[in-house]
């Protein structure tokens, strides 16, 4: 694999926290240049000039981290462009200063809890994707509440759900309940299953709608495809 492909592959692990999709497939990586000596320059872009700076900071910082971790990389220059807070974000990430120090006097806390909140939403959305076939086949929500991870046939959707659950410490073993409270990891009781499945469906619908809107705004703002976007579909 060519070194640029390795860098793009690594960037594919960086997700928009709100949309739960890789920044590469979203078209957020505008350029990725790797020199023969291993110097990497990555430029990121977002759908609007005013996208939330906390989300933007997470993506720039995560991109910096995954590229820096590659063994053949000598130097890393990751920067966000065309954004009202690009100066603060880029300087903060380059200095490894953290969100609070980067937005001194404006930010009250680091972004760990925000990240967890959106991974929890991704778990709910993934729960809907995995449970939809059961619901579509007429399985009662009470019966779904009695299912475990081991009862679910293997699928890409299940793999994705388990990865998101693992990220925030939720149970993923074959005996773990399929429906869990994303805050506590406790099983959803049978009487609450229908409401939980409804919340999961609503969350998935909201994420997909936001993703469509963001893709549309990005296409309106930039006519060219992002680096890695074509390769990953």
């Amino acid at each position: 694999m060519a070194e640029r492909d390795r860098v793009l592959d690594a960037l594919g692990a960086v997700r928009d926290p709100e949309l739960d999709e890789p920044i590469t497939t979203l078209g957020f990586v505008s350029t990725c240049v790797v020199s023969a000596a291993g110097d990497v320059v990555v430029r990121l872009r977002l759908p609007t000039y005013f996208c939330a700076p906390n989300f933007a900071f997470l993506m720039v910082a995560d991109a910096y981290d995954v590229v820096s971790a590659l063994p053949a990389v000598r130097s890393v220059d990751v920067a966000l462009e065309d954004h009202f807070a690009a100066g603060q974000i880029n300087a903060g990430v380059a200095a490894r200063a953290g969100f609070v120090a980067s937005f001194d006097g404006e930010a009250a806390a680091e972004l760990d809890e925000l990240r967890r909140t959106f991974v929890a939403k991704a778990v709910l959305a993934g729960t809907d994707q995995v449970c939809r076939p059961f619901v579509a086949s007429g399985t009662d929500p009470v019966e779904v509440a009695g299912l475990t991870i081991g009862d679910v046939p293997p699928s890409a959707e299940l793999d994705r759900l388990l990865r998101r659950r693992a990220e925030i410490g939720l149970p993923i073993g074959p005996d773990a309940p399929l429906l869990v409270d994303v805050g506590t990891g406790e099983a959803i009781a049978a009487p609450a299953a229908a409401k939980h499945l409804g919340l999961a469906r609503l969350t998935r619908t909201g994420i997909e709608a936001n993703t469509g809107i963001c893709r549309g705004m990005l296409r309106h703002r930039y006519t060219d495809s992002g680096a890695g976007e074509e390769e990953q579909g």
Side-chain angles (χ1 to χ4, degrees):
M1 182 183 289
E3 199 54 33
R4 182 176 181 271
D5 292 335
R6 293 185 196 281
V7 172
L8 288 172
D9 190 56
L11 290 170
V14 178
R15 306 193 304 268
D16 180 303
E18 184 181 25
L19 307 181
D20 194 40
E21 290 290 341
I23 59 174
T24 45
T25 58
L26 287 167
F28 291 177
V29 180
S30 56
T31 59
C32 174
V33 178
V34 183
S35 75
D39 300 310
V40 180
V41 177
V42 175
R43 293 294 176 260
L44 303 180
R45 62 189 185 184
L46 293 173
T48 76
Y49 186 72
F50 299 102
C51 285
N54 47 5
F55 296 169
F57 189 92
L58 281 175
M59 287 184 273
V60 177
D62 288 351
Y64 185 95
D65 287 344
V66 298
V67 176
S68 298
L70 293 173
V73 169
R74 185 174 70 173
S75 70
V76 180
D77 175 5
V78 177
L80 176 65
E81 297 179 320
D82 303 335
H83 188 276
F84 80 97
Q88 288 168 283
I89 291 170
N90 295 337
V93 169
R96 318 305 293 144
F99 186 67
V100 172
S102 301
F103 287 84
D104 188 23
E106 301 176 80
E110 295 298 337
L111 302 174
D112 299 331
E113 190 58 34
L114 178 74
R115 189 193 295 275
R116 191 194 188 287
T117 296
F118 281 102
V119 176
K121 289 186 175 183
V123 169
L124 281 170
T127 299
D128 177 69
Q129 291 175 321
V130 169
C131 291
R132 234 182 301 166
F134 293 105
V135 175
S137 66
T139 305
D140 190 277
V142 171
E143 295 179 60
V144 177
L147 297 176
T148 66
I149 294 296
D151 294 323
V152 181
S155 67
E157 290 78 13
L158 178 61
D159 290 344
R160 179 178 173 133
L161 172 62
L162 296 182
R163 289 197 300 271
R164 300 296 183 269
R165 283 172 63 148
E167 285 185 34
I168 54 175
L170 298 176
I172 61 171
D175 296 330
L178 177 58
L179 302 186
V180 295
D181 184 302
V182 295
T184 67
E186 296 294 323
I188 298 296
K195 182 178 180 180
H196 185 79
L197 289 171
L199 177 62
R201 183 174 62 254
L202 186 65
T203 303
R204 190 260 308 160
T205 302
I207 291 174
E208 290 180 355
N210 285 339
T211 301
I213 292 169
C214 288
R215 286 186 188 279
M217 289 192 295
L218 188 77
R219 287 288 165 265
H220 181 74
R221 193 177 191 201
Y222 302 101
T223 57
D224 59 320
S225 297
E229 189 176 2
E230 306 94 328
E231 293 92 332
Q232 300 186 39

